[in-house]
């Protein structure tokens, strides 16, 4: 009976191993299919979008935690002292750091505050301010981000500034001179803001203010090429130029728009208008000098909603790259794909584990035999 019993036990063991392997293979196959499903959905997203914007509540928490780590009293004092040592001094950033210290409940040393006040009086006295004001009024290209900036910006953030820009560039065109297409595009978006928001969504006031800031920043040379590209496209393809000679009013001018083409430019202007509403003109223009793409403008505008007057100070303490990165998180689709890949690898490892174990035991026996032979000799 014993002779007939042993094969029966081996047969049952083999069947059990086949069932186990079949179950593991099924798990691995399901994991592979699930991973493929999520990867397909992920690949179908615009630009693959592995990162998405945080929700507003998550955004505030992320920046608060980062500032608690980076904007310590020692770090803030050291950064402020370094900014005061510069020549020329960037008073927009200096004021932002002082505001950040106040918002974070950090008391700055009295000697440091006294030094700041003395240097402020030296750099921003009425004589220096008057000279800067005249320079800004004459040409924005000679403007700095000082208090005198108001002298050169008042006209440019109104419809009058848009009309002046269109008139100036129209004269250049008639005379056969180069036309500033960016200025024309900004002016068009600003003057037609009321009509355009019907098609694009958004706030007319924010678009007008944002387009005015864009013109000022453009004239001051503070706009990156990718940030002004939507306005070049808006001029080239977003306007029905053939009907332009018949236009007699701003409403008719808005009617020349091709909304799908102009929408990206309107969105940039609106984001910057929101930024100006939260931070004021000087800080908004300072941040615009560090923005490279429309996506950067949208992220900074969202961050300003969460940070308020701490925005520029946080930008200074965290650095541009980290500041922008904190506004994003891994998308749910990417996390699901990562979990699926991990599950696939785990299932495959479990499926191959018996084979690896047998190979390991075989290698172990060979090694043990070799060692024993050496020892016995």
């Amino acid at each position: 009976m014993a002779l007939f019993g042993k094969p029966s036990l081996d047969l049952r063991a083999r069947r059990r191993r086949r069932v186990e392997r079949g179950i593991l293979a099924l798990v691995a196959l399901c994991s592979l299919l699930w991973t493929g499903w999520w990867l397909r959905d992920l690949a179908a997203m615009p630009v693959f979008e592995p990162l998405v914007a945080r929700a507003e509540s998550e955004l505030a928490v992320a920046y608060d935690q980062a500032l608690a780590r980076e904007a310590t009293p020692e770090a803030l004092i050291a950064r402020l002292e370094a900014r005061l040592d510069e020549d020329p001094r960037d008073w927009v950033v200096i004021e932002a750091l002082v505001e950040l210290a106040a918002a974070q409940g950090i008391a700055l040393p009295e000697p440091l505050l006294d030094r700041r006040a003395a240097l402020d009086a030296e750099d921003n006295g009425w004589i220096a301010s008057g000279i800067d004001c005249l320079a800004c009024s004459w040409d924005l290209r000679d403007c700095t981000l000082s208090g005198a900036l108001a002298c050169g910006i008042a006209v440019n953030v109104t419809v009058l500034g848009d009309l002046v820009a269109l008139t100036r560039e129209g004269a250049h065109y008639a005379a056969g001179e180069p036309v500033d297409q960016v200025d024309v595009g900004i002016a068009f978006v600003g003057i037609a803001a009321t009509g355009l928001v019907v098609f694009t969504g958004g706030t007319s006031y924010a678009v007008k203010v944002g387009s005015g800031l864009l013109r000022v920043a453009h004239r001051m040379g503070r706009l990156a090429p990718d940030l002004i590209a939507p306005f070049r496209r808006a001029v080239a393809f977003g306007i029905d130029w053939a009907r332009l000679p018949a236009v007699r009013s701003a409403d008719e001018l808005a009617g020349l728009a091709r909304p799908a083409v102009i929408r990206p430019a309107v969105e940039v202007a609106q984001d910057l208008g929101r930024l100006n509403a939260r931070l004021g003109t000087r800080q908004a223009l300072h941040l615009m000098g560090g923005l490279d793409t429309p996506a950067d403008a949208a992220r900074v505008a969202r961050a300003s909603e969460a940070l308020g007057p701490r925005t520029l100070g946080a930008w200074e303490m965290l650095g541009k790259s980290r500041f922008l990165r904190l506004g994003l998180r891994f998308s749910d689709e990417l996390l699901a794909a990562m979990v699926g890949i991990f599950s696939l690898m785990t299932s495959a490892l479990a499926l191959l584990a018996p084979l690896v174990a047998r190979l390991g035991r075989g290698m172990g026996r060979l090694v043990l035999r070799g060692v024993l032979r050496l020892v016995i000799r």
Side-chain angles (χ1 to χ4, degrees), residues 133-356:
C133 185
L134 288 174
C136 283
S137 299
W138 181 255
D139 193 340
L140 282 170
R141 286 172 293 186
D142 298 326
C143 231
T144 62
L145 295 181
S146 65
L149 181 64
C151 301
I153 201 173
V155 172
N156 286 277
V157 296
T158 64
V159 176
L160 179 59
D162 297 321
L163 293 173
V164 169
L166 287 176
T167 303
R168 180 180 61 245
E169 300 307 323
H172 289 166
Y173 178 78
E177 299 173 356
V179 175
D180 189 336
Q181 293 186 348
V182 176
D183 211 0
V184 173
I186 292 171
F188 179 82
V189 169
I191 201 171
T194 304
L196 290 176
V197 293
V198 174
F199 302 101
T200 61
T203 304
S204 173
Y205 175 77
V207 174
K208 287 182 178 179
V209 172
S211 63
L213 283 176
L214 280 161
R215 177 178 303 102
V216 173
H218 174 56
R219 299 285 290 174
M220 294 175 68
R222 299 186 63 82
L223 289 183
D226 287 346
L227 199 60
I228 60 180
F231 296 91
R232 294 188 186 276
R233 288 193 294 271
V235 171
F237 308 109
I239 303 172
D240 187 353
W241 291 105
R243 293 166 48 201
L244 185 60
V247 169
R248 295 295 181 269
S249 67
D251 290 338
E252 292 179 4
L253 182 62
L256 303 183
R258 296 186 176 104
V261 179
I262 297 178
R263 184 177 296 109
V266 175
E267 290 173 351
V268 172
Q270 184 171 345
D271 287 334
L272 296 177
R274 289 164 51 205
L275 190 64
N276 179 79
R278 296 293 292 171
L279 306 182
T281 301
R282 293 174 65 199
Q283 290 195 9
L285 283 171
H286 186 283
L287 286 169
M288 287 168 66
L291 303 180
D292 295 323
T293 64
D296 289 350
R299 291 173 192 165
V300 173
R302 290 189 72 248
S304 70
E305 297 290 338
L307 288 167
R310 296 184 297 163
T311 302
L312 181 53
W315 176 281
E316 176 72 8
M317 295 303 299
L318 300 176
K320 172 185 173 180
S321 177
R322 189 176 181 194
F323 182 96
L324 294 175
R325 194 168 59 248
L326 279 172
L328 301 173
R329 63 173 177 81
F330 284 120
S331 65
D332 295 338
E333 290 78 6
L334 181 63
L335 291 175
M338 293 170 63
V339 171
I341 293 172
F342 178 77
S343 176
L344 172 63
M345 294 174 62
T346 304
S347 300
L349 182 61
L351 182 64
L352 296 174
L355 176 61
V356 173

Side-chain angles (χ1 to χ4, degrees), residues 56-69:
E56 187 173 348
S57 57
E58 295 176 338
L59 195 64
V61 171
Y63 281 113
D64 286 340
Q65 291 175 346
L67 287 174
R69 290 190 300 268

